């Protein structure tokens, strides 16, 4: 499926779909430990090494620690590749890999001022834990793709709260007619990941129903300590009703 996959890696069917997709915008909503970071690491390496030489792949996450971790997975995966035609690394740091073919994979912190992620242009932007990345940072990162032919924006995440740009986008796309949607969406809960199902089920009582539904059943939930949920507040309004007083 992918020449950049490490030896012994057998992708799940949904990961094959990700690797074969050419969608300009892709949203991947997955259970914890389902393999979403692994498949996007393969995708980043394939793009840099084989399909888009000389281009940049940018990684963005809510914090520099998470960005560094994402880059670490890619470095480990690259070192597990083999082959006499494998592009060598000419420059490496904790947040950047540059290859002999001119391609670069760089990781950018998502925390702090949005100005910290301005600057680079990229053919592919991968947003890890996208539900926790702010709308302001997304607005700063998306123009990376503006000047590129066939750019790709890939957002992967486990759900968080029932608010934020990713939640708004996901719910809007879910309500749209399939032909009107602008994002390709993939949703994978723990029952679609047999290798972690037994462990996840054993965690249900320990972590509580709300956390379990969010982390493993990929459900957006309201804050646990809220008196009124977002759904309750929305249901309290009806634009079709006429006011009892006033014009």
């Amino acid at each position: 499926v992918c020449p950049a996959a490490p030896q012994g890696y057998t992708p799940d069917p949904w990961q094959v779909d990700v690797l074969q997709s050419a969608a300009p915008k892709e949203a991947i909503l997955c259970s914890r430990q389902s393999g979403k970071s692994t498949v996007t690491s393969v995708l980043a390496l394939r793009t840099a090494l084989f399909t888009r030489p000389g281009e940049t792949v940018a990684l963005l996450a809510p914090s520099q620690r998470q960005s560094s971790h994402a880059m670490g997975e890619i470095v480990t995966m690259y070192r597990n590749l083999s082959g006499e035609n494998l592009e060598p690394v000419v420059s490496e740091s904790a947040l950047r890999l540059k290859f002999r073919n001119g391609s670069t994979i760089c990781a950018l912190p998502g925390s702090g001022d949005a100005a910290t992620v301005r600057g680079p242009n990229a053919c592919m932007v991968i947003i890890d834990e996208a539900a926790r990345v702010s709308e302001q940072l997304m607005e700063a990162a998306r123009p990376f793709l503006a000047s590129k032919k066939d750019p790709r924006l890939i957002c992967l995440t486990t759900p968080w709260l029932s608010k934020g740009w990713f939640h708004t986008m996901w719910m809007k796309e879910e309500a749209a007619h399939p032909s009107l949607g602008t994002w390709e969406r993939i949703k994978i809960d723990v029952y679609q990941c047999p290798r972690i199902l037994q462990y996840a089920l054993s965690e249900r009582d320990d972590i509580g129903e709300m956390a379990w539904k969010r982390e493993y059943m990929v459900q957006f939930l309201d804050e646990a300590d809220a008196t009124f949920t977002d759904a309750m507040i929305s249901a309290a309004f009806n634009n079709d009703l006429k006011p009892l007083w006033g014009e």
Side-chain angles (χ1 to χ4, degrees):
V1 173
C2 178
Q7 187 174 5
Y9 171 63
T10 302
D12 293 337
W14 72 267
Q15 293 176 316
V16 173
D17 291 339
V18 171
L19 293 171
Q20 293 182 338
S21 173
K25 292 190 290 185
E26 189 162 19
I28 304 170
L29 186 64
C30 285
S31 161
R32 291 286 297 275
Q33 299 300 316
S34 57
K36 58 186 182 298
S37 296
T38 299
V39 72
T40 50
S41 295
V42 174
L43 193 55
L45 278 172
R46 182 183 69 179
T47 302
L49 295 174
F50 300 103
T51 63
R52 300 294 291 266
E55 298 277 17
T56 295
V57 175
L59 313 176
L60 184 67
S63 69
Q64 184 163 330
R65 179 190 62 79
Q66 289 166 302
S67 295
S68 299
H69 178 75
M71 178 59 77
E73 286 197 28
I74 289 173
V75 170
T76 298
M77 190 172 289
Y78 173 80
R79 289 174 178 165
N80 288 333
L81 298 177
S82 60
E84 59 182 24
N85 295 322
L86 184 65
E87 288 290 338
V89 171
V90 297
S91 177
E92 179 181 342
S93 69
L95 296 175
R96 183 178 296 266
L97 271 181
K98 187 172 181 62
F99 301 95
R100 185 179 59 186
N101 67 1
S103 293
T104 300
I105 301 175
C106 64
L108 303 169
S111 57
D113 193 326
T116 61
V117 299
R118 294 180 181 270
N121 58 72
C123 69
M124 177 180 287
V125 174
I126 298 174
I127 313 291
D128 197 8
E129 291 301 338
R132 296 174 184 254
V133 170
S134 71
E135 185 172 356
Q136 292 75 20
L137 288 163
M138 283 298 299
E139 290 173 352
R142 293 176 73 151
F144 295 175
L145 301 164
S147 64
K148 296 299 180 180
K149 181 181 179 181
D150 300 323
R152 295 196 68 194
L153 174 62
I154 300 170
C155 297
L156 56 146
T157 193
T158 298
W160 186 226
L161 303 176
S162 298
K163 60 184 180 181
W165 80 269
F166 187 92
H167 173 263
T168 300
M169 175 277 295
W170 187 271
M171 301 308 291
K172 180 179 178 182
E173 292 287 313
E174 193 168 75
H177 187 278
S179 64
L180 301 178
T182 59
W183 288 76
E184 180 175 273
R185 300 184 309 139
I186 292 177
K187 183 177 181 180
I188 302 295
D189 65 39
V190 72
Y191 287 99
Q192 295 166 280
C193 303
R195 65 180 176 276
I196 64 168
L197 179 58
Q198 184 175 355
Y199 176 81
L201 291 173
S202 72
E203 286 282 279
R204 191 167 189 166
D205 290 338
D206 290 341
I207 67 175
E209 192 69 12
M210 178 171 283
W212 196 83
K213 286 180 178 179
R214 182 179 62 238
E215 302 291 349
Y216 293 109
M217 291 304 295
V218 291
Q219 296 181 17
F220 289 100
L221 301 172
D222 296 290
E223 294 183 69
D225 57 353
T227 303
F228 301 103
T229 67
D230 288 351
M232 292 168 64
I233 294 171
S234 297
F237 291 86
N238 188 334
N239 293 329
D240 296 328
L241 294 178
K242 294 182 179 181
L244 297 176
W245 59 87
E247 297 182 358

